[in-house]
């Protein structure tokens, strides 16, 4: 199947594109987009990959599925378009960055600037029906995104994986902690963060310290 995705990722994931599950997934996604309002816009489904080539990935931040309300999702986990109010999880991410690194809270929740520095902002499920969280969770996306995580874990060195919440932390078994840094905490959503464990996790300073130690440019979060 000829999938329009960034070339280095196309090479890494070429076997996935030829598997029966991906053909079924693509067909069902086309049906969903043709029948319902779905997010992100179809042209942005692979935005995380397109903005962050395989060989440029320094950090992976794993989300669950896209925002399901209008004008929010654009293919990057936790990110929203310019001018859109920060969802609660993103508010808490920015608060922790402010407390951890001392930087100002940005005016935009558009995290394209992170992706372009080598942060793969990957949702496990890449599409969603409007107003229905996790509505595409059973379509087969997780098989595909798990394959992407494995390719990074097995074929790259010294990547920082940020796994927030039980769902993301459930992916840690795929990552060799002798080759990569795995940072785990509760999810930044208010329900989890306010119970403790999110604020003060220092993931962003720990990430940059690890990148420095391995001769990589820090991320300007």
């Amino acid at each position: 199947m000829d999938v329009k995705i960034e070339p280095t990722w196309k090479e890494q994931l070429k076997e996935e594109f030829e598997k029966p599950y991906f053909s079924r997934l693509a067909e069902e996604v086309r049906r969903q987009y043709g029948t319902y309002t779905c997010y992100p816009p179809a042209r942005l489904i692979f935005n995380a990959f397109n903005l962050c080539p395989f060989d440029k990935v320094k950090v992976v931040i794993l989300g669950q599925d896209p925002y399901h309300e209008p004008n929010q999702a654009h293919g990057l986990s936790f990110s929203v378009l310019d001018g859109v109010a920060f969802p609660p999880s993103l508010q808490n991410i920015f608060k922790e960055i402010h407390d951890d690194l001392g930087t100002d809270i940005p005016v935009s929740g558009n995290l394209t600037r992170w992706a372009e520095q080598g942060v793969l902002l990957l949702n496990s499920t890449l599409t969603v029906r409007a107003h229905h969280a996790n509505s595409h969770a059973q379509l087969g996306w997780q098989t595909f995104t798990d394959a992407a995580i494995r390719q990074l874990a097995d074929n790259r060195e010294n990547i920082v994986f940020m796994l927030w919440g039980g769902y993301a932390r459930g992916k840690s078994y795929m990552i060799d902690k002798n080759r990569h840094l795995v940072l785990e905490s509760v999810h930044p959503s208010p329900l989890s963060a306010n119970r403790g464990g999110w604020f003060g996790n220092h993931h962003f300073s720990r990430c940059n310290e690890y990148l420095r130690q391995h001769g990589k440019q820090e991320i300007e979060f």
Side-chain angles (χ1 to χ4, degrees), residues 15 42 47 64 75 139 144 149 158 161 219:
E15 293 182 8
N47 200 26
Q64 192 160 351
L139 299 190
F144 175 74
I149 294 168
N158 307 132
F161 289 85
I219 306 297

Side-chain angles (χ1 to χ4, degrees), residues 196-217:
W198 170 256
F199 296 110
N201 66 28
H202 299 292
H203 279 192
F204 303 95
S205 59
R206 291 166 67 188
C207 168
N208 277 341
E209 175 62 26
Y210 182 83
L211 294 176
R212 268 198 310 275
Q213 289 173 355
H214 292 89
K216 299 183 180 184
Q217 183 72 32

Side-chain angles (χ1 to χ4, degrees), residues 123-192:
N123 281 314
S124 284
T125 299
L126 298 186
T127 59
V128 68
R129 190 192 304 180
H131 317 302
H132 293 83
N134 293 316
S135 50
H136 288 183
Q138 304 306 316
L139 299 190
W141 278 124
Q142 292 172 41
T143 303
F144 175 74
T145 53
D146 281 359
I149 294 168
R150 285 194 176 93
Q151 287 296 104
L152 288 168
D154 294 348
N155 297 305
R156 293 282 316 282
E157 301 283 342
N158 307 132
I159 291 174
V160 180
F161 289 85
M162 296 187 184
L163 307 180
W164 302 334
Y167 181 83
R169 294 168 82 172
K171 307 290 185 179
S172 64
Y173 74 95
M174 294 187 281
I175 305 161
D176 183 347
K177 296 175 180 61
N178 294 314
R179 295 175 64 177
H180 306 284
L181 177 64
V182 178
L183 300 174
E184 301 184 41
S185 82
V186 300
H187 196 275
S189 67
L191 187 64
S192 300

